[in-house]
Amino acid sequence: MSDIQSALRERARELLEDGKVEYVIGWESARGEDKTRPAFIRKAEDAGRLVWNRFCVNSTAKYLLHDRWPKGKIAVCARGCDTRAINRMLSDGQIKRENVYILGIPCEGVENKICQRCAHRNPLVYDELLGESVEEKTDFDRFANVREMQEMTLEQRRKMWEDEFTKCIRCYACRNVCPACSCRECYADQYRTGWQGKQFNSVENRVYGLTRAYHVGDRCIECGECERVCPMDLPIMLQTGKMLMQCNELFGDYECGLSADEIPALGTYNLNDADSFG
Amino acid sequence: MPVNKKWMPKILAFCCNWCTYTGADLAGLNRMKYPADVRVLRVPCSSRVNPQFVLRAFQKGCDGVMVCGCHPGDCHYTSGNYYTRRRFMVLKEMLEFNGIEPERFQTRWISGSEAAKFRDTVAEVSELVTKLGPNTVFNERRAENV
Protein backbone atom coordinates (compact mmCIF):
# COMPACT_ATOMS: atom_id res chain seq x y z
CA MET A 1 0.00 0.00 0.00
CA SER A 2 2.79 2.42 0.82
CA ASP A 3 4.18 1.90 -2.71
CA ILE A 4 0.92 3.17 -4.07
CA GLN A 5 1.00 6.07 -1.65
CA SER A 6 4.44 7.22 -2.73
CA ALA A 7 3.56 6.74 -6.39
CA LEU A 8 0.39 8.70 -5.80
CA ARG A 9 2.23 11.64 -4.18
CA GLU A 10 4.85 11.58 -6.90
CA ARG A 11 2.34 11.60 -9.75
CA ALA A 12 0.15 14.22 -8.09
CA ARG A 13 3.17 16.50 -7.72
CA GLU A 14 4.21 15.99 -11.33
CA LEU A 15 0.73 16.58 -12.68
CA LEU A 16 0.32 19.77 -10.68
CA GLU A 17 3.82 21.05 -11.53
CA ASP A 18 3.24 20.46 -15.24
CA GLY A 19 -0.10 22.19 -15.00
CA LYS A 20 -1.82 19.18 -16.51
CA VAL A 21 -4.51 19.21 -13.87
CA GLU A 22 -6.15 21.93 -11.85
CA TYR A 23 -6.32 19.94 -8.67
CA VAL A 24 -6.17 16.42 -7.34
CA ILE A 25 -8.91 14.76 -5.33
CA GLY A 26 -7.63 12.18 -2.89
CA TRP A 27 -7.45 11.50 0.80
CA GLU A 28 -5.43 12.95 3.66
CA SER A 29 -4.98 11.97 7.28
CA ALA A 30 -7.18 13.75 9.71
CA ARG A 31 -7.94 13.44 13.40
CA GLY A 32 -5.46 10.69 14.06
CA GLU A 33 -3.82 7.84 12.24
CA ASP A 34 -6.92 5.78 11.70
CA LYS A 35 -9.02 8.40 9.98
CA THR A 36 -8.87 10.14 6.66
CA ARG A 37 -10.86 12.77 4.90
CA PRO A 38 -11.15 13.77 1.26
CA ALA A 39 -8.38 16.12 0.19
CA PHE A 40 -8.28 18.64 -2.63
CA ILE A 41 -4.68 19.36 -3.54
CA ARG A 42 -4.12 22.47 -5.63
CA LYS A 43 -0.41 23.16 -5.06
CA ALA A 44 2.42 20.82 -6.00
CA GLU A 45 4.10 21.28 -2.61
CA ASP A 46 0.97 19.99 -0.88
CA ALA A 47 1.06 16.66 -2.73
CA GLY A 48 2.81 15.12 0.28
CA ARG A 49 -0.44 15.39 2.20
CA LEU A 50 -2.05 12.67 0.12
CA VAL A 51 -2.34 9.27 1.73
CA TRP A 52 -3.52 5.85 0.69
CA ASN A 53 -4.29 3.25 3.35
CA ARG A 54 -7.14 1.08 4.48
CA PHE A 55 -8.86 3.99 6.20
CA CYS A 56 -9.50 5.78 2.91
CA VAL A 57 -13.21 5.05 2.90
CA ASN A 58 -14.70 8.16 1.28
CA SER A 59 -15.72 7.95 -2.32
CA THR A 60 -13.85 10.60 -4.30
CA ALA A 61 -15.97 10.43 -7.42
CA LYS A 62 -19.04 12.33 -6.25
CA TYR A 63 -16.96 15.49 -5.75
CA LEU A 64 -16.69 15.73 -9.53
CA LEU A 65 -20.33 16.78 -9.56
CA HIS A 66 -19.51 19.77 -7.37
CA ASP A 67 -17.36 21.20 -10.14
CA ARG A 68 -19.08 20.47 -13.44
CA TRP A 69 -17.29 23.12 -15.50
CA PRO A 70 -13.71 23.07 -14.24
CA LYS A 71 -11.08 25.37 -15.73
CA GLY A 72 -8.67 22.52 -16.22
CA LYS A 73 -8.70 18.79 -15.71
CA ILE A 74 -9.46 17.31 -12.33
CA ALA A 75 -7.26 14.43 -11.26
CA VAL A 76 -9.13 11.97 -9.13
CA CYS A 77 -7.75 9.04 -7.15
CA ALA A 78 -10.12 6.23 -7.91
CA ARG A 79 -10.52 2.71 -6.55
CA GLY A 80 -12.69 0.17 -8.35
CA CYS A 81 -15.87 1.52 -6.84
CA ASP A 82 -14.92 5.11 -7.62
CA THR A 83 -14.33 4.25 -11.26
CA ARG A 84 -17.75 2.65 -11.37
CA ALA A 85 -19.15 5.84 -9.92
CA ILE A 86 -17.35 7.81 -12.63
CA ASN A 87 -18.83 5.50 -15.27
CA ARG A 88 -22.20 6.05 -13.68
CA MET A 89 -21.92 9.83 -13.95
CA LEU A 90 -20.49 9.61 -17.48
CA SER A 91 -23.36 7.48 -18.72
CA ASP A 92 -25.84 9.78 -16.97
CA GLY A 93 -24.26 12.66 -18.88
CA GLN A 94 -23.27 14.47 -15.72
CA ILE A 95 -19.55 14.88 -16.32
CA LYS A 96 -17.25 14.88 -19.33
CA ARG A 97 -14.50 12.34 -19.66
CA GLU A 98 -12.04 14.96 -20.93
CA ASN A 99 -12.43 16.92 -17.72
CA VAL A 100 -11.27 14.03 -15.58
CA TYR A 101 -7.84 12.51 -15.17
CA ILE A 102 -8.19 9.21 -13.36
CA LEU A 103 -5.40 7.89 -11.17
CA GLY A 104 -6.48 4.27 -10.76
CA ILE A 105 -5.74 2.56 -7.47
CA PRO A 106 -6.06 -1.23 -7.16
CA CYS A 107 -7.70 -1.73 -3.79
CA GLU A 108 -7.77 -4.74 -1.52
CA GLY A 109 -10.64 -3.42 0.50
CA VAL A 110 -10.85 -0.63 3.06
CA GLU A 111 -12.56 -0.35 6.42
CA ASN A 112 -16.02 -0.71 4.99
CA LYS A 113 -18.11 -3.83 5.32
CA ILE A 114 -19.32 -3.56 1.72
CA CYS A 115 -15.79 -4.41 0.56
CA GLN A 116 -16.47 -8.05 1.43
CA ARG A 117 -18.94 -8.07 -1.44
CA CYS A 118 -16.80 -6.18 -3.93
CA ALA A 119 -16.36 -7.76 -7.35
CA HIS A 120 -14.33 -4.95 -8.88
CA ARG A 121 -11.28 -4.13 -6.83
CA ASN A 122 -9.31 -2.96 -9.85
CA PRO A 123 -10.22 0.31 -11.51
CA LEU A 124 -12.31 -0.24 -14.63
CA VAL A 125 -11.36 2.99 -16.32
CA TYR A 126 -8.21 5.00 -15.72
CA ASP A 127 -5.61 7.20 -17.35
CA GLU A 128 -2.88 5.58 -15.38
CA LEU A 129 -2.75 2.75 -12.91
CA LEU A 130 -0.72 3.11 -9.72
CA GLY A 131 0.71 -0.21 -8.57
CA GLU A 132 -0.02 -3.77 -9.60
CA SER A 133 -3.57 -4.90 -10.20
CA VAL A 134 -4.96 -7.20 -7.53
CA GLU A 135 -6.90 -10.44 -7.73
CA GLU A 136 -10.64 -10.07 -8.03
CA LYS A 137 -12.95 -11.67 -5.52
CA THR A 138 -15.50 -14.08 -6.89
CA ASP A 139 -16.41 -16.32 -3.95
CA PHE A 140 -19.41 -14.46 -2.64
CA ASP A 141 -23.09 -13.91 -3.28
CA ARG A 142 -23.89 -10.32 -4.19
CA PHE A 143 -27.39 -10.56 -2.83
CA ALA A 144 -26.86 -12.83 0.18
CA ASN A 145 -28.39 -10.35 2.62
CA VAL A 146 -31.40 -9.69 0.39
CA ARG A 147 -32.07 -13.41 0.07
CA GLU A 148 -31.76 -13.76 3.81
CA MET A 149 -34.37 -11.11 4.29
CA GLN A 150 -36.72 -12.70 1.80
CA GLU A 151 -36.82 -15.75 4.01
CA MET A 152 -38.71 -13.64 6.53
CA THR A 153 -42.49 -13.51 6.45
CA LEU A 154 -44.28 -10.44 5.14
CA GLU A 155 -45.24 -9.47 8.67
CA GLN A 156 -41.66 -9.69 9.93
CA ARG A 157 -40.37 -7.66 7.02
CA ARG A 158 -42.97 -4.98 7.58
CA LYS A 159 -42.08 -4.82 11.26
CA MET A 160 -38.40 -4.66 10.49
CA TRP A 161 -38.68 -1.76 8.03
CA GLU A 162 -41.04 -0.02 10.38
CA ASP A 163 -38.46 -0.23 13.16
CA GLU A 164 -35.59 0.75 10.90
CA PHE A 165 -37.25 3.76 9.34
CA THR A 166 -38.49 5.01 12.67
CA LYS A 167 -34.81 5.70 13.35
CA CYS A 168 -34.29 7.65 10.13
CA ILE A 169 -33.67 11.34 10.79
CA ARG A 170 -34.05 12.34 7.13
CA CYS A 171 -30.66 14.00 6.95
CA TYR A 172 -30.50 12.96 3.26
CA ALA A 173 -26.86 12.01 3.64
CA CYS A 174 -27.57 8.83 1.64
CA ARG A 175 -28.76 10.99 -1.23
CA ASN A 176 -25.94 13.51 -1.05
CA VAL A 177 -23.25 10.88 -1.23
CA CYS A 178 -24.82 8.74 -3.97
CA PRO A 179 -23.12 8.96 -7.39
CA ALA A 180 -26.44 8.04 -9.04
CA CYS A 181 -28.24 10.98 -7.38
CA SER A 182 -27.55 13.94 -9.61
CA CYS A 183 -30.83 15.84 -9.94
CA ARG A 184 -30.33 19.58 -9.59
CA GLU A 185 -33.34 19.72 -7.33
CA CYS A 186 -34.20 16.55 -5.50
CA TYR A 187 -37.86 15.56 -5.26
CA ALA A 188 -37.38 15.34 -1.51
CA ASP A 189 -36.46 19.03 -1.37
CA GLN A 190 -39.39 20.23 -3.46
CA TYR A 191 -42.07 21.26 -1.05
CA ARG A 192 -44.93 22.31 -3.31
CA THR A 193 -45.09 19.32 -5.62
CA GLY A 194 -46.36 16.94 -2.98
CA TRP A 195 -44.03 14.12 -3.85
CA GLN A 196 -42.69 13.81 -0.39
CA GLY A 197 -44.26 15.01 2.83
CA LYS A 198 -42.03 16.81 5.25
CA GLN A 199 -43.64 15.37 8.35
CA PHE A 200 -41.28 13.49 10.55
CA ASN A 201 -42.83 10.08 11.06
CA SER A 202 -42.13 6.51 10.10
CA VAL A 203 -44.53 6.58 7.15
CA GLU A 204 -42.92 9.56 5.45
CA ASN A 205 -39.52 8.12 6.26
CA ARG A 206 -40.43 4.82 4.65
CA VAL A 207 -41.82 6.49 1.57
CA TYR A 208 -38.59 8.47 1.32
CA GLY A 209 -36.52 5.31 1.71
CA LEU A 210 -38.45 3.36 -0.88
CA THR A 211 -38.60 6.22 -3.37
CA ARG A 212 -34.92 6.90 -3.06
CA ALA A 213 -34.17 3.23 -3.60
CA TYR A 214 -36.42 3.14 -6.65
CA HIS A 215 -34.89 6.30 -8.11
CA VAL A 216 -31.36 4.97 -7.99
CA GLY A 217 -31.95 1.23 -7.75
CA ASP A 218 -31.51 0.33 -11.40
CA ARG A 219 -28.41 2.50 -11.62
CA CYS A 220 -26.87 1.55 -8.27
CA ILE A 221 -23.18 0.71 -8.49
CA GLU A 222 -23.14 -1.02 -5.10
CA CYS A 223 -20.43 1.18 -3.59
CA GLY A 224 -22.20 1.09 -0.23
CA GLU A 225 -21.64 4.79 0.44
CA CYS A 226 -25.27 5.36 1.45
CA GLU A 227 -25.00 2.78 4.17
CA ARG A 228 -21.61 3.99 5.32
CA VAL A 229 -22.66 7.59 5.77
CA CYS A 230 -26.00 6.81 7.42
CA PRO A 231 -25.77 8.22 10.95
CA MET A 232 -28.54 5.90 12.12
CA ASP A 233 -27.10 2.73 10.53
CA LEU A 234 -30.11 1.86 8.43
CA PRO A 235 -29.57 -1.11 6.09
CA ILE A 236 -30.26 1.05 3.04
CA MET A 237 -28.32 -1.16 0.66
CA LEU A 238 -30.91 -3.87 1.20
CA GLN A 239 -33.44 -1.80 -0.70
CA THR A 240 -31.23 -1.00 -3.67
CA GLY A 241 -29.85 -4.54 -3.51
CA LYS A 242 -33.36 -5.90 -3.83
CA MET A 243 -33.96 -3.64 -6.80
CA LEU A 244 -30.78 -4.84 -8.52
CA MET A 245 -31.55 -8.44 -7.72
CA GLN A 246 -34.95 -8.03 -9.30
CA CYS A 247 -33.44 -6.45 -12.41
CA ASN A 248 -31.05 -9.40 -12.56
CA GLU A 249 -33.81 -11.96 -12.27
CA LEU A 250 -36.20 -10.31 -14.69
CA PHE A 251 -34.00 -8.73 -17.31
CA GLY A 252 -30.86 -10.85 -17.30
CA ASP A 253 -27.41 -10.32 -15.81
CA TYR A 254 -27.11 -6.77 -14.75
CA GLU A 255 -24.34 -4.84 -13.10
CA CYS A 256 -23.97 -1.08 -13.25
CA GLY A 257 -21.04 1.21 -13.78
CA LEU A 258 -18.97 -1.23 -15.82
CA SER A 259 -18.86 1.01 -18.88
CA ALA A 260 -19.64 4.61 -19.71
CA ASP A 261 -22.31 3.85 -22.32
CA GLU A 262 -24.70 1.53 -20.53
CA ILE A 263 -28.45 2.03 -20.41
CA PRO A 264 -30.20 1.55 -17.07
CA ALA A 265 -32.58 -1.41 -16.87
CA LEU A 266 -35.70 0.69 -16.42
CA GLY A 267 -34.71 3.11 -19.16
CA THR A 268 -35.05 0.52 -21.86
CA TYR A 269 -37.16 -2.51 -22.74
CA ASN A 270 -37.10 -5.77 -24.56
CA LEU A 271 -40.05 -7.15 -26.48
CA ASN A 272 -39.51 -10.55 -24.87
CA ASP A 273 -39.36 -9.33 -21.28
CA ALA A 274 -40.91 -11.47 -18.59
CA ASP A 275 -44.54 -10.55 -18.08
CA SER A 276 -46.46 -11.10 -14.88
CA PHE A 277 -49.29 -8.72 -15.80
CA GLY A 278 -52.57 -10.58 -15.88
CA MET B 1 -72.20 10.98 17.42
CA PRO B 2 -70.09 8.28 15.86
CA VAL B 3 -71.54 6.90 12.69
CA ASN B 4 -71.08 3.19 12.48
CA LYS B 5 -70.23 2.83 8.86
CA LYS B 6 -69.14 -0.45 7.38
CA TRP B 7 -65.63 -0.27 6.05
CA MET B 8 -65.38 -0.39 2.28
CA PRO B 9 -62.07 -0.77 0.48
CA LYS B 10 -60.81 2.12 -1.54
CA ILE B 11 -59.21 0.99 -4.78
CA LEU B 12 -57.54 3.29 -7.25
CA ALA B 13 -57.33 2.12 -10.85
CA PHE B 14 -54.96 3.89 -13.22
CA CYS B 15 -56.48 3.29 -16.63
CA CYS B 16 -54.79 4.02 -19.91
CA ASN B 17 -56.88 6.32 -22.07
CA TRP B 18 -56.70 4.18 -25.19
CA CYS B 19 -57.46 0.70 -23.93
CA THR B 20 -58.49 0.18 -20.35
CA TYR B 21 -60.49 3.36 -20.01
CA THR B 22 -62.34 2.49 -23.19
CA GLY B 23 -62.84 -1.01 -21.81
CA ALA B 24 -64.26 0.42 -18.60
CA ASP B 25 -66.48 2.68 -20.65
CA LEU B 26 -67.73 -0.31 -22.59
CA ALA B 27 -68.46 -2.11 -19.32
CA GLY B 28 -70.60 0.87 -18.38
CA LEU B 29 -72.35 0.94 -21.75
CA ASN B 30 -73.18 -2.73 -21.39
CA ARG B 31 -74.62 -2.06 -17.92
CA MET B 32 -72.20 -4.51 -16.35
CA LYS B 33 -72.21 -4.63 -12.58
CA TYR B 34 -69.03 -4.32 -10.60
CA PRO B 35 -68.17 -3.22 -7.05
CA ALA B 36 -68.26 0.52 -6.46
CA ASP B 37 -64.99 0.36 -4.49
CA VAL B 38 -62.95 1.26 -7.51
CA ARG B 39 -62.01 4.81 -8.50
CA VAL B 40 -60.94 5.10 -12.10
CA LEU B 41 -58.20 7.57 -12.91
CA ARG B 42 -57.55 8.17 -16.57
CA VAL B 43 -53.96 8.57 -17.74
CA PRO B 44 -52.76 9.12 -21.31
CA CYS B 45 -50.68 5.96 -21.21
CA SER B 46 -49.91 3.38 -18.56
CA SER B 47 -46.30 4.55 -18.68
CA ARG B 48 -47.52 7.94 -17.49
CA VAL B 49 -47.97 6.34 -14.09
CA ASN B 50 -44.98 7.23 -12.03
CA PRO B 51 -44.30 4.48 -9.48
CA GLN B 52 -44.46 7.23 -6.91
CA PHE B 53 -48.14 7.78 -7.77
CA VAL B 54 -48.73 4.28 -6.45
CA LEU B 55 -46.87 4.98 -3.24
CA ARG B 56 -48.68 8.24 -2.84
CA ALA B 57 -52.02 6.48 -3.28
CA PHE B 58 -51.19 4.05 -0.50
CA GLN B 59 -50.06 6.94 1.62
CA LYS B 60 -53.29 8.86 1.05
CA GLY B 61 -55.41 5.95 2.20
CA CYS B 62 -55.98 3.66 -0.76
CA ASP B 63 -56.26 0.00 0.15
CA GLY B 64 -55.50 -1.27 -3.29
CA VAL B 65 -54.00 0.13 -6.48
CA MET B 66 -54.39 -1.13 -10.02
CA VAL B 67 -52.33 -0.15 -13.02
CA CYS B 68 -53.92 -1.15 -16.31
CA GLY B 69 -52.84 -0.59 -19.87
CA CYS B 70 -52.95 -1.89 -23.41
CA HIS B 71 -51.67 -5.36 -24.16
CA PRO B 72 -47.99 -5.49 -25.18
CA GLY B 73 -47.73 -4.55 -28.82
CA ASP B 74 -50.94 -2.52 -28.75
CA CYS B 75 -49.66 0.67 -27.15
CA HIS B 76 -50.98 3.82 -28.77
CA TYR B 77 -47.51 5.30 -28.36
CA THR B 78 -45.82 2.14 -29.67
CA SER B 79 -43.59 1.35 -26.71
CA GLY B 80 -45.09 2.93 -23.58
CA ASN B 81 -46.39 -0.24 -22.03
CA TYR B 82 -43.05 -2.02 -22.39
CA TYR B 83 -41.59 0.53 -20.00
CA THR B 84 -44.63 0.11 -17.76
CA ARG B 85 -44.05 -3.60 -17.67
CA ARG B 86 -40.46 -3.30 -16.49
CA ARG B 87 -41.21 -0.59 -13.97
CA PHE B 88 -44.12 -2.20 -12.26
CA MET B 89 -42.79 -5.70 -12.19
CA VAL B 90 -39.92 -4.31 -10.17
CA LEU B 91 -42.16 -2.08 -8.05
CA LYS B 92 -44.39 -5.01 -7.19
CA GLU B 93 -41.45 -6.88 -5.75
CA MET B 94 -40.24 -3.79 -3.94
CA LEU B 95 -43.63 -3.29 -2.30
CA GLU B 96 -43.71 -6.86 -1.15
CA PHE B 97 -40.17 -6.49 0.14
CA ASN B 98 -41.34 -3.51 2.16
CA GLY B 99 -44.21 -5.39 3.71
CA ILE B 100 -47.22 -4.61 1.53
CA GLU B 101 -49.35 -7.62 0.62
CA PRO B 102 -48.79 -8.36 -3.08
CA GLU B 103 -52.58 -8.56 -3.62
CA ARG B 104 -52.90 -4.86 -2.94
CA PHE B 105 -51.02 -3.87 -6.04
CA GLN B 106 -52.39 -5.33 -9.24
CA THR B 107 -51.31 -4.90 -12.81
CA ARG B 108 -53.39 -5.93 -15.79
CA TRP B 109 -53.49 -5.63 -19.54
CA ILE B 110 -57.06 -4.78 -20.52
CA SER B 111 -57.92 -3.84 -24.09
CA GLY B 112 -60.74 -1.60 -25.28
CA SER B 113 -62.99 -4.54 -26.03
CA GLU B 114 -62.38 -6.45 -22.82
CA ALA B 115 -65.17 -4.95 -20.77
CA ALA B 116 -65.82 -8.27 -19.08
CA LYS B 117 -62.17 -8.54 -18.08
CA PHE B 118 -62.34 -5.11 -16.51
CA ARG B 119 -65.43 -6.08 -14.55
CA ASP B 120 -63.92 -9.38 -13.42
CA THR B 121 -60.65 -7.74 -12.43
CA VAL B 122 -62.36 -5.11 -10.33
CA ALA B 123 -64.53 -7.73 -8.67
CA GLU B 124 -61.52 -9.92 -7.98
CA VAL B 125 -59.33 -7.14 -6.61
CA SER B 126 -62.16 -5.80 -4.49
CA GLU B 127 -62.73 -9.22 -2.98
CA LEU B 128 -59.03 -9.74 -2.27
CA VAL B 129 -58.62 -6.34 -0.68
CA THR B 130 -61.81 -6.68 1.37
CA LYS B 131 -60.42 -9.91 2.75
CA LEU B 132 -57.14 -8.21 3.68
CA GLY B 133 -58.81 -5.27 5.38
CA PRO B 134 -57.62 -1.67 5.53
CA ASN B 135 -54.08 -0.95 4.43
CA THR B 136 -51.82 0.28 7.21
CA VAL B 137 -48.43 0.30 5.53
CA PHE B 138 -47.55 3.78 4.28
CA ASN B 139 -50.92 5.15 5.38
CA GLU B 140 -50.26 8.62 6.72
CA ARG B 141 -53.49 8.88 8.68
CA ARG B 142 -52.47 5.95 10.78
CA ALA B 143 -49.11 7.61 11.32
CA GLU B 144 -50.78 10.67 12.78
CA ASN B 145 -52.56 8.53 15.32
CA VAL B 146 -49.40 6.76 16.43
PDB file of all heavy atoms in Angstrom, chain B residues 90-103:
ATOM      1  N   VAL B  90     -40.899  -4.553 -11.216  1.00  0.00           N
ATOM      2  CA  VAL B  90     -39.917  -4.307 -10.169  1.00  0.00           C
ATOM      3  C   VAL B  90     -40.606  -3.699  -8.941  1.00  0.00           C
ATOM      4  O   VAL B  90     -40.359  -4.113  -7.810  1.00  0.00           O
ATOM      5  CB  VAL B  90     -38.786  -3.394 -10.678  1.00  0.00           C
ATOM      6  CG1 VAL B  90     -37.852  -3.013  -9.558  1.00  0.00           C
ATOM      7  CG2 VAL B  90     -38.015  -4.062 -11.792  1.00  0.00           C
ATOM      8  N   LEU B  91     -41.504  -2.743  -9.183  1.00  0.00           N
ATOM      9  CA  LEU B  91     -42.158  -2.079  -8.046  1.00  0.00           C
ATOM     10  C   LEU B  91     -42.958  -3.072  -7.214  1.00  0.00           C
ATOM     11  O   LEU B  91     -42.963  -3.010  -5.990  1.00  0.00           O
ATOM     12  CB  LEU B  91     -43.079  -0.956  -8.527  1.00  0.00           C
ATOM     13  CG  LEU B  91     -43.721  -0.190  -7.372  1.00  0.00           C
ATOM     14  CD1 LEU B  91     -42.708   0.710  -6.688  1.00  0.00           C
ATOM     15  CD2 LEU B  91     -44.922   0.617  -7.798  1.00  0.00           C
ATOM     16  N   LYS B  92     -43.584  -4.005  -7.889  1.00  0.00           N
ATOM     17  CA  LYS B  92     -44.385  -5.005  -7.190  1.00  0.00           C
ATOM     18  C   LYS B  92     -43.534  -5.756  -6.170  1.00  0.00           C
ATOM     19  O   LYS B  92     -43.927  -5.926  -5.018  1.00  0.00           O
ATOM     20  CB  LYS B  92     -44.954  -5.979  -8.227  1.00  0.00           C
ATOM     21  CG  LYS B  92     -46.195  -6.663  -7.780  1.00  0.00           C
ATOM     22  CD  LYS B  92     -46.811  -7.394  -8.955  1.00  0.00           C
ATOM     23  CE  LYS B  92     -48.204  -7.848  -8.589  1.00  0.00           C
ATOM     24  NZ  LYS B  92     -48.914  -8.377  -9.724  1.00  0.00           N
ATOM     25  N   GLU B  93     -42.365  -6.169  -6.638  1.00  0.00           N
ATOM     26  CA  GLU B  93     -41.454  -6.883  -5.751  1.00  0.00           C
ATOM     27  C   GLU B  93     -40.977  -5.988  -4.610  1.00  0.00           C
ATOM     28  O   GLU B  93     -40.832  -6.422  -3.477  1.00  0.00           O
ATOM     29  CB  GLU B  93     -40.250  -7.399  -6.538  1.00  0.00           C
ATOM     30  CG  GLU B  93     -40.585  -8.490  -7.525  1.00  0.00           C
ATOM     31  CD  GLU B  93     -40.971  -9.779  -6.817  1.00  0.00           C
ATOM     32  OE1 GLU B  93     -40.465 -10.017  -5.713  1.00  0.00           O
ATOM     33  OE2 GLU B  93     -41.797 -10.521  -7.381  1.00  0.00           O
ATOM     34  N   MET B  94     -40.724  -4.722  -4.957  1.00  0.00           N
ATOM     35  CA  MET B  94     -40.237  -3.793  -3.935  1.00  0.00           C
ATOM     36  C   MET B  94     -41.288  -3.580  -2.856  1.00  0.00           C
ATOM     37  O   MET B  94     -40.980  -3.504  -1.673  1.00  0.00           O
ATOM     38  CB  MET B  94     -39.870  -2.439  -4.560  1.00  0.00           C
ATOM     39  CG  MET B  94     -38.652  -2.445  -5.427  1.00  0.00           C
ATOM     40  SD  MET B  94     -37.170  -2.891  -4.548  1.00  0.00           S
ATOM     41  CE  MET B  94     -36.848  -1.400  -3.635  1.00  0.00           C
ATOM     42  N   LEU B  95     -42.555  -3.490  -3.273  1.00  0.00           N
ATOM     43  CA  LEU B  95     -43.632  -3.287  -2.301  1.00  0.00           C
ATOM     44  C   LEU B  95     -43.733  -4.492  -1.380  1.00  0.00           C
ATOM     45  O   LEU B  95     -43.858  -4.351  -0.164  1.00  0.00           O
ATOM     46  CB  LEU B  95     -44.964  -3.062  -3.020  1.00  0.00           C
ATOM     47  CG  LEU B  95     -45.122  -1.712  -3.717  1.00  0.00           C
ATOM     48  CD1 LEU B  95     -46.422  -1.681  -4.497  1.00  0.00           C
ATOM     49  CD2 LEU B  95     -45.089  -0.566  -2.725  1.00  0.00           C
ATOM     50  N   GLU B  96     -43.630  -5.661  -1.969  1.00  0.00           N
ATOM     51  CA  GLU B  96     -43.709  -6.862  -1.155  1.00  0.00           C
ATOM     52  C   GLU B  96     -42.529  -6.923  -0.193  1.00  0.00           C
ATOM     53  O   GLU B  96     -42.671  -7.286   0.971  1.00  0.00           O
ATOM     54  CB  GLU B  96     -43.740  -8.085  -2.062  1.00  0.00           C
ATOM     55  CG  GLU B  96     -44.307  -9.305  -1.364  1.00  0.00           C
ATOM     56  CD  GLU B  96     -44.161 -10.554  -2.191  1.00  0.00           C
ATOM     57  OE1 GLU B  96     -44.112 -10.440  -3.424  1.00  0.00           O
ATOM     58  OE2 GLU B  96     -44.103 -11.629  -1.590  1.00  0.00           O
ATOM     59  N   PHE B  97     -41.377  -6.511  -0.689  1.00  0.00           N
ATOM     60  CA  PHE B  97     -40.172  -6.494   0.142  1.00  0.00           C
ATOM     61  C   PHE B  97     -40.342  -5.551   1.320  1.00  0.00           C
ATOM     62  O   PHE B  97     -39.802  -5.755   2.392  1.00  0.00           O
ATOM     63  CB  PHE B  97     -38.989  -6.047  -0.722  1.00  0.00           C
ATOM     64  CG  PHE B  97     -37.636  -6.254  -0.094  1.00  0.00           C
ATOM     65  CD1 PHE B  97     -37.157  -7.520   0.141  1.00  0.00           C
ATOM     66  CD2 PHE B  97     -36.844  -5.166   0.225  1.00  0.00           C
ATOM     67  CE1 PHE B  97     -35.917  -7.713   0.701  1.00  0.00           C
ATOM     68  CE2 PHE B  97     -35.590  -5.347   0.781  1.00  0.00           C
ATOM     69  CZ  PHE B  97     -35.132  -6.628   1.023  1.00  0.00           C
ATOM     70  N   ASN B  98     -41.130  -4.498   1.109  1.00  0.00           N
ATOM     71  CA  ASN B  98     -41.336  -3.513   2.165  1.00  0.00           C
ATOM     72  C   ASN B  98     -42.533  -3.827   3.052  1.00  0.00           C
ATOM     73  O   ASN B  98     -42.892  -3.027   3.899  1.00  0.00           O
ATOM     74  CB  ASN B  98     -41.488  -2.120   1.564  1.00  0.00           C
ATOM     75  CG  ASN B  98     -40.138  -1.493   1.300  1.00  0.00           C
ATOM     76  OD1 ASN B  98     -39.546  -0.886   2.160  1.00  0.00           O
ATOM     77  ND2 ASN B  98     -39.629  -1.683   0.104  1.00  0.00           N
ATOM     78  N   GLY B  99     -43.169  -4.963   2.791  1.00  0.00           N
ATOM     79  CA  GLY B  99     -44.212  -5.390   3.714  1.00  0.00           C
ATOM     80  C   GLY B  99     -45.638  -5.116   3.292  1.00  0.00           C
ATOM     81  O   GLY B  99     -46.544  -5.197   4.110  1.00  0.00           O
ATOM     82  N   ILE B 100     -45.857  -4.781   2.020  1.00  0.00           N
ATOM     83  CA  ILE B 100     -47.224  -4.614   1.527  1.00  0.00           C
ATOM     84  C   ILE B 100     -47.657  -5.933   0.897  1.00  0.00           C
ATOM     85  O   ILE B 100     -46.893  -6.533   0.146  1.00  0.00           O
ATOM     86  CB  ILE B 100     -47.309  -3.469   0.485  1.00  0.00           C
ATOM     87  CG1 ILE B 100     -47.198  -2.137   1.207  1.00  0.00           C
ATOM     88  CG2 ILE B 100     -48.606  -3.533  -0.299  1.00  0.00           C
ATOM     89  CD1 ILE B 100     -47.562  -0.951   0.350  1.00  0.00           C
ATOM     90  N   GLU B 101     -48.865  -6.374   1.210  1.00  0.00           N
ATOM     91  CA  GLU B 101     -49.347  -7.622   0.621  1.00  0.00           C
ATOM     92  C   GLU B 101     -49.373  -7.471  -0.897  1.00  0.00           C
ATOM     93  O   GLU B 101     -49.881  -6.478  -1.415  1.00  0.00           O
ATOM     94  CB  GLU B 101     -50.758  -7.957   1.108  1.00  0.00           C
ATOM     95  CG  GLU B 101     -50.843  -8.328   2.578  1.00  0.00           C
ATOM     96  CD  GLU B 101     -51.088  -7.128   3.477  1.00  0.00           C
ATOM     97  OE1 GLU B 101     -50.977  -5.986   2.978  1.00  0.00           O
ATOM     98  OE2 GLU B 101     -51.385  -7.328   4.662  1.00  0.00           O
ATOM     99  N   PRO B 102     -48.857  -8.493  -1.611  1.00  0.00           N
ATOM    100  CA  PRO B 102     -48.792  -8.361  -3.082  1.00  0.00           C
ATOM    101  C   PRO B 102     -50.171  -8.197  -3.720  1.00  0.00           C
ATOM    102  O   PRO B 102     -50.281  -7.643  -4.808  1.00  0.00           O
ATOM    103  CB  PRO B 102     -48.125  -9.663  -3.531  1.00  0.00           C
ATOM    104  CG  PRO B 102     -48.175 -10.574  -2.357  1.00  0.00           C
ATOM    105  CD  PRO B 102     -48.249  -9.734  -1.146  1.00  0.00           C
ATOM    106  N   GLU B 103     -51.226  -8.665  -3.038  1.00  0.00           N
ATOM    107  CA  GLU B 103     -52.578  -8.559  -3.617  1.00  0.00           C
ATOM    108  C   GLU B 103     -53.030  -7.113  -3.731  1.00  0.00           C
ATOM    109  O   GLU B 103     -53.908  -6.785  -4.519  1.00  0.00           O
ATOM    110  CB  GLU B 103     -53.596  -9.321  -2.762  1.00  0.00           C
ATOM    111  CG  GLU B 103     -53.434 -10.837  -2.782  1.00  0.00           C
ATOM    112  CD  GLU B 103     -52.460 -11.322  -1.718  1.00  0.00           C
ATOM    113  OE1 GLU B 103     -51.813 -10.460  -1.063  1.00  0.00           O
ATOM    114  OE2 GLU B 103     -52.327 -12.543  -1.540  1.00  0.00           O
TER     115      GLU B 103
END
